């Protein structure tokens, strides 16, 4: 009950919703049904699968008809034979989707600054990083600017400007004469469109020329070079540079704004490359090609084929797994800890880009990429020469669980010194099946039963589950987590629990899969693969969230995510098809008009 | 643009006896100072050193074992502190006569809205106010306030910022640990949250920026144009704000408003009374991660921060500082265990007595009171004024947001050190009954010469305890 919270993942259980599958949590230990749609919201575990409307909606899944689309009350439920996916009518005209202004993330900022100068810039470490408290670091809310960040952004801007002033000949191509205004203007005509990632208006240049002239006068008048520096400090703090803001223009559909080519170009390039649009995209934007979805798809394929996409795509999968940016040097020797994240990245990028894999392989593959330290860590035959020698190796049965059994993932949802049934269970439910149990209710922590020191994790959890308030959610989480107990807190197979040496009991129950029983992480992987219509819909939801920088509303779930998921299903859940598929989404071309 | 504010006006420095004054302006350029002539060295030395306050706040409970009291020195109200204090307070034994240990102060504002164990208890701790969203447009409490989540802010400023504002000082805002999310405690006068600065070197540069003995560098000259530049940036925000709506407008408007606030803060002018202020941490901080949630270098970091506070107070760059202990989850305390992590699981679980031993809990809780003892020792060794020390003119206020291991905010742990030039009679234990943080902070403001009649939420009562009664009787002694 004291586990970290992920607010953005919380999904409220909407009674009567047609887009979600209402799930009744079973009290797995006693086999009795506990309906969690309670009248007191504080007590309700908001268990719901909110992942692209895999079923027709409204259907009670207790009968075992998971994902067959036979729920019956969606407009077209079951009529489209798309591998179990039913697609409701979604006229573009009425879709209320949003895509908020989002500050450049740390990596986007670095890539964008690099694109502006022909020489390396030391950006330092003050630029605010994204909050990891949201589902993805791409989220607008994860990049909100707090007052404490402002001075850091100011100082970073000043540092960059001073580096540019030091190499002014490589920044400004003209030679200033007189008051230098003409040359400053020439500089801005070239620089500003690159900084703002779009053509600029004369008034925008005039505004900066006003600053230029002001700092050349006054009590300590600056020379031309330093005055250009002052202009740079302003540009680098301005929202036109610092944020990705889509303005759009009203079109034929009331309430819907159509993005211009440059806005679409930025959406695509920052999504796949974390970088501003390249010349090809800018040319297409200028020519007006980017309103055409076929062009968008071909551009997405082009961007995805570039090595830069590997980094971004690996980060998406890593953030999806809740495993991004963590180093477990306090649990294993430094060379091993340093190999965890690269292993994960190699596995997923190989799956997406080289093996052209589907979701089944992603969640249940029996291989990995390991260097010498990792081979030793996993207890595999050591065939790698050293830690720079990464080899594709087959894994023993208990580790044949794709991303799930990667050390980085196993460690991310465990404590330093031991596993955590709750963390793993909550992770597997929320991230792999989009079954969100929400946050602990108010007062939950105070009710945490106190047990003698040395009590086993299972004893603690069972004591907790004896409390009605806790049981409703914890029965789903804990039983999912029990089944993953065969991997220790750094992803190694373990047969006995640490400390007391008793045999590991990795019998689990997966509530989202109709209470299917399984044993071990690999057993869960098999279930995830076998239930691709649920796992796939969840992954499509996650990719949509990552790409659009927000958590969808219900209509988006019904329409955009369902459409994305339909294409994903039609490709037999090919991962690359999912990534490219977002380019065909209206969410990339339009935004909601907000008064 | 507000008028530049003259901050500290008097006193001498430790050691190098200030005979010069510096101003910290909007940037590097030294600001012309007509007032300088008012303060010749002799005039200063005759002045009484001003009062200062260092807040040190933590977020952990103080119950290392399920049975038995480990914090209170077990004495009656207004009694002299016993020689052995209490288990958690034992690191302060040498300073017993310099302390006031205060019991019976409740944070009942935390109960004005639903919350988990930390979000609400921390946000109300120093403000004695509910969260903004608990109030309607007229400032009245909603019948069913929403839960206090990580995104919420207090409806009132925290005592540190309130005091800094009343004194027209810059709050020296420091943090030991990762930027707080659940444990946000400080709110500025505009009610924006403060995440504090972890790196004392950075905090030094910001507080003392502008003092340059010689010619100005290009960086100084560029900084000197900050006001013009930030004006220009706000113009770009205004241009964009006309084109966006909804969440975008809210987000960008907030950013623009904060820039205006930053501009205002850069106008602050600081008068220093020491020559050539330089900062050097007692233990090298090279390579230290100031955002480390595991707190492996928290001992070095806080030592560096205390050194900075000492210097800032002695130079009178400011009179209000706050060291915010933000790590509460995964602290490892290797510095208490010969360099090895004291435990492998998160401290949070240990505090809640899910794991770990009573001895481990006591050991970690004693570390915080040891840091208070370090602050007392440091200030007591720093000259201030003609013949006194910094401790003579400084009040150290240690508080934690929790007392009970179940996240209880009743009877908050509070230690005060320093007698404010004889204003407070120290060496006493004060045991109040059902008084509130509002009463306590009002009392503090009064002894710090801020004539406040109340602080925080004053209406009504909770569980029989009025939110506000008045200053605490017998506090001064």
């Amino acid at each position: 009950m004291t586990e970290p919270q992920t607010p953005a993942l919380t999904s409220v259980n909407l009674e009567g919703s047609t887009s979600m599958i209402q799930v009744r949590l079973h009290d797995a230990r006693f086999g009795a049904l506990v309906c969690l749609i309670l009248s007191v919201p504080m007590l309700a575990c908001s268990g719901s699968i909110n992942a692209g409307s895999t079923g027709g909606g409204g259907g009670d899944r207790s009968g075992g008809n998971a994902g067959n689309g036979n729920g019956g009350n969606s407009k077209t439920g079951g009529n489209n034979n798309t591998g179990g996916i039913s697609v409701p009518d979604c006229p573009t005209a009425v879709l209320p989707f949003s895509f908020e202004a989002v500050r450049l993330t740390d990596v986007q900022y670095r890539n964008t600054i690099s694109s502006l100068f022909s020489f390396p810039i030391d950006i330092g470490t003050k630029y605010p990083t994204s909050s990891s408290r949201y589902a993805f670091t791409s989220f607008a809310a994860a990049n909100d600017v707090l007052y404490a960040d402002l001075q850091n952004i100011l100082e970073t801007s000043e540092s960059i400007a001073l580096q540019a002033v030091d190499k002014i000949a490589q920044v400004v191509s003209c030679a200033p004469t007189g008051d230098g205004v003409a040359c400053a203007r020439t500089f801005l005509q070239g620089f500003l469109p690159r900084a703002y990632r779009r053509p600029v208006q004369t008034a925008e240049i005039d505004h900066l020329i006003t600053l230029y002239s002001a700092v050349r006068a006054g009590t300590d008048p600056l020379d031309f070079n330093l005055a250009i520096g002052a202009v740079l400090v302003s540009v680098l703090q301005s929202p036109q540079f610092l944020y990705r803001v889509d303005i759009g223009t009203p079109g034929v559909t009331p309430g819907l704004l159509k993005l211009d080519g440059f806005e679409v170009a930025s959406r695509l390039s920052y999504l796949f490359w974390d970088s501003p649009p390249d010349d090809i995209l800018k040319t297409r934007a200028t020519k007006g090609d980017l309103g055409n979805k076929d062009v968008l798809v071909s551009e997405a394929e082009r961007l995805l084929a570039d090595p830069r996409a590997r980094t971004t795509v690996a980060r998406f999968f890593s953030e999806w797994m809740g495993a991004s940016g963590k180093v477990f040097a306090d649990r294993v020797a430094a060379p091993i800890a340093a190999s965890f994240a690269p292993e994960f990245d190699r596995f997923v990028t190989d799956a997406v880009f080289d093996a052209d894999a589907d979701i089944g392989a992603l969640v249940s593959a029996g291989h990995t990429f390991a260097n010498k330290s990792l081979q030793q860590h996993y207890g595999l035959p050591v065939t790698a020469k050293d830690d720079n020698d990464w080899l594709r190796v087959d894994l023993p049965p208990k580790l044949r669980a794709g991303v799930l059994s990667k050390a980085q993932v196993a460690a991310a949802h465990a404590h330093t010194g031991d596993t955590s049934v709750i963390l793993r269970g909550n992770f597997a439910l929320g991230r792999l099946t989009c079954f969100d149990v929400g946050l602990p209710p108010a007062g939950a922590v105070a009710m945490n039963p106190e047990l003698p020191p040395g009590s086993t994790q299972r004893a603690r959890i069972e004591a907790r589950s004896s409390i009605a308030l806790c049981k409703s959610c914890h029965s789903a989480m804990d039983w999912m987590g029990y089944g993953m107990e065969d991997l220790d807190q750094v992803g190694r197979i373990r047969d006995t629990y640490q400390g007391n040496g008793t045999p590991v009991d990795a019998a689990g129950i997966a509530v989202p899969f109709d209470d299917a029983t399984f044993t071990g992480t690999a057993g869960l992987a098999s279930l995830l693969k076998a239930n691709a219509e649920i796992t796939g819909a969840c992954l499509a939801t996650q990719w949509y969230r990552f790409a659009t920088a927000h958590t969808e509303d219900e209509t988006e779930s019904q329409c955009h995510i369902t459409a994305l998921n339909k294409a994903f299903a039609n490709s037999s859940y090919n991962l690359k098809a999912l990534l490219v598929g977002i380019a065909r989404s209206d969410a990339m071309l339009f935004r909601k008009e907000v008064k | 643009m507000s008028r530049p504010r003259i901050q500290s006006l008097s006193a001498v420095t430790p050691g190098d006896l200030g005979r010069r004054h510096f101003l910290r302006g909007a940037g590097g350029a030294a600001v012309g100072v007509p007032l300088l002539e008012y303060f010749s060295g002799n005039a200063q030395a005759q002045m009484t050193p001003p009062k200062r306050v260092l807040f040190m706040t933590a977020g952990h409970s103080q119950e290392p074992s399920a049975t038995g009291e480990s914090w209170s020195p077990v004495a009656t109200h207004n009694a002299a502190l016993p020689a052995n204090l209490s288990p958690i307070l034992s690191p302060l034994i040498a300073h017993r006569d310099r302390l006031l240990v205060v019991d019976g102060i409740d944070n009942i504002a935390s109960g004005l809205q639903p919350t988990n164990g930390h979000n609400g208890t921390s946000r109300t701790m120093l403000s004695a106010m509910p969260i903004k969203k608990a109030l309607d447009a007229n400032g009245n409490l909603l019948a069913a306030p929403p839960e206090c989540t990580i995104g919420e802010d207090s409806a009132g400023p925290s005592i540190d910022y309130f005091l800094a504002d009343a004194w027209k000082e810059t709050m020296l805002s420091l943090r030991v640990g990762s930027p707080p999310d659940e444990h946000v405690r400080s709110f500025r006068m505009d009610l924006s949250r403060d995440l504090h600065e972890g790196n004392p070197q950075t905090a030094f540069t910001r507080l003392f920026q502008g003092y340059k003995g010689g010619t100005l560098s290009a960086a100084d000259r560029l900084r000197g144009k900050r006001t013009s530049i930030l004006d220009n940036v706000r113009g770009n925000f205004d241009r964009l704000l006309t084109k966006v709506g909804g969440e975008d407008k809210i987000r960008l408007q907030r950013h623009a408003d904060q820039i205006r606030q930053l501009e205002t803060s850069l106008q602050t002018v600081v008068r220093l009374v020491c020559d050539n202020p330089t900062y050097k941490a007692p233990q090298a901080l090279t390579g230290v991660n100031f955002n480390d949630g595991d707190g492996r270098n928290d001992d070095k970091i806080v030592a560096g921060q205390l050194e900075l506070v000492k210097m800032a107070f002695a130079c009178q760059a400011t009179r209000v500082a706050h060291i915010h202990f933000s790590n509460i989850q995964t602290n490892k305390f290797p510095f208490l265990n010969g360099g090895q992590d004291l435990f492998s699981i998160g401290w949070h679980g240990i505090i809640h007595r899910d794991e770990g031993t009573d001895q481990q809990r006591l050991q970690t809780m004693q570390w915080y009171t040891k840091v208070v003892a370090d602050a007392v020792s440091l200030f007591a060794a720093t000259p201030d004024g003609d013949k006194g020390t910094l401790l003579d003119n400084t009040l150290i206020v240690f508080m934690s947001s929790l007392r009970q291991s179940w996240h209880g905010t009743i009877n908050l742990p509070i230690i005060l050190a320093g007698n404010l030039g004889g204003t407070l009679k120290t060496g006493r234990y004060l045991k109040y009954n059902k008084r509130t943080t509002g009463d306590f902070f009002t009392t503090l403001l009064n002894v710090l010469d801020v004539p406040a009649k109340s602080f925080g939420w004053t209406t009504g009562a909770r569980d029989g305890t009025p939110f506000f009664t008045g200053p605490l009787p017998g506090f001064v002694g």
Side-chain angles (χ1 to χ4, degrees), chain A residues 2 5 42 99-101 126 133 140-141 144-148 150-155 158 161-162 196 201 203-204 207-208 211 215 217-223 226 229-230 233-234 237-240 242-243 245-247 330 415-418 442-443 445-446 448-451 453 460 464 591 594-595, chain B residues 66 114-117 119 147 150 181-182 188 192-197 202 206 209 216 218-219 221-223 225-226 228-233 235-237 239-240 243-248 251-252 254-255 258-259 261-262 265-266 294 296 329 332 341 344-346 348 352-356 405-407:
Chain A
T2 57
Q5 303 167 352
M42 295 283 284
F99 194 129
E100 293 170 20
K126 287 183 179 172
R133 285 219 164 247
D144 267 346
V145 172
L146 300 169
Y147 182 73
L150 282 187
Q151 188 137 8
N152 286 319
I153 293 173
L154 168 63
E155 289 169 4
E158 288 172 344
L162 286 166
Y196 290 177
Q201 297 166 348
E204 292 178 300
H207 180 68
L208 290 161
L211 172 64
V215 298
T219 49
D220 178 28
L222 304 183
D223 60 17
L226 215 43
V233 176
S234 176
Q237 292 182 92
S238 291
Q240 292 84 351
L242 213 48
Y243 285 82
V245 190
D246 296 325
I247 307 297
D330 54 342
H415 295 304
T416 309
D418 199 356
V445 174
N448 207 356
E450 197 157 306
L451 288 186
R460 290 179 189 286
R464 183 148 44 219
R591 67 163 297 163
V594 187
K595 298 294 183 189
Chain B
T115 177
N116 73 359
N119 289 324
E147 178 171 348
I150 275 175
D181 38 39
E182 286 195 321
R188 301 181 183 83
S192 63
R193 64 176 63 183
D194 182 15
L195 301 186
H196 312 267
E197 173 58 46
T202 301
R206 287 177 182 166
Q209 68 193 352
L216 297 176
R221 295 183 66 202
L222 197 55
R223 277 202 292 271
K225 302 298 182 189
R226 279 175 169 179
S228 303
I229 291 169
L230 291 174
D231 274 343
N232 194 256
V233 170
N236 277 334
F237 271 93
R239 185 184 304 278
L240 191 56
K243 299 178 183 171
V244 297
E247 281 297 318
D248 290 356
R251 178 168 283 125
L252 294 171
R254 186 169 58 221
H255 190 148
Q258 289 174 338
I259 286 181
Q261 190 187 337
L262 178 64
S265 84
L266 292 173
D294 287 353
R296 289 207 166 78
Q329 286 287 345
K332 299 293 190 295
D341 288 352
S344 58
I345 70 158
H348 185 254
H352 285 301
R353 300 203 295 270
D354 277 351
E355 312 275 348
S405 66
W406 47 270
H407 295 131

Side-chain angles (χ1 to χ4, degrees), chain A residues 119 161-174 187 224-226 228-229 232:
Chain A
F119 46 88
L162 286 166
Q163 293 173 63
V165 168
D166 283 346
K167 292 191 164 66
I168 197 75
Q170 295 177 58
V171 178
V172 178
S173 54
C174 50
F187 159 68
F224 174 82
N225 295 356
L226 215 43
I228 291 294
L232 284 174

Side-chain angles (χ1 to χ4, degrees), chain B residues 136-157:
Chain B
D136 66 15
N138 298 319
N140 297 317
L141 198 62
L142 295 169
E147 178 171 348
C148 178
T149 62
I150 275 175
E152 304 309 326
D153 291 325
S154 170

Side-chain angles (χ1 to χ4, degrees), chain B residues 26 57 124 212 296 360 433 459:
Chain B
T57 65
T124 55
K212 283 285 168 184
R296 289 207 166 78
Q360 284 176 329
N433 182 32
T459 316

Side-chain angles (χ1 to χ4, degrees), chain A residues 208-219:
Chain A
L208 290 161
I209 291 295
T210 306
L211 172 64
Y212 168 87
S213 299
V215 298
R216 295 223 52 185
T219 49

Side-chain angles (χ1 to χ4, degrees), chain B residues 56-125:
Chain B
M56 304 174 86
T57 65
H60 61 277
S61 52
Q62 307 288 347
E63 291 182 336
S65 65
T67 55
E69 173 59 52
S70 301
W71 173 275
S72 296
V74 197
T76 50
H77 177 64
N78 209 24
L81 287 168
N84 57 354
L85 291 176
S86 69
I88 299 178
L89 299 180
S90 62
L92 282 156
I93 284 174
H95 299 303
R96 185 177 48 122
D97 293 342
R98 293 162 156 161
L99 306 180
L100 282 172
V101 177
V102 184
D103 264 348
I105 305 300
D106 304 343
N107 171 12
I108 55 173
S110 179
L112 288 174
Q113 54 277 304
T115 177
N116 73 359
H118 300 289
N119 289 324
T121 55
S122 57
R123 279 158 181 73
T124 55
M125 169 189 180

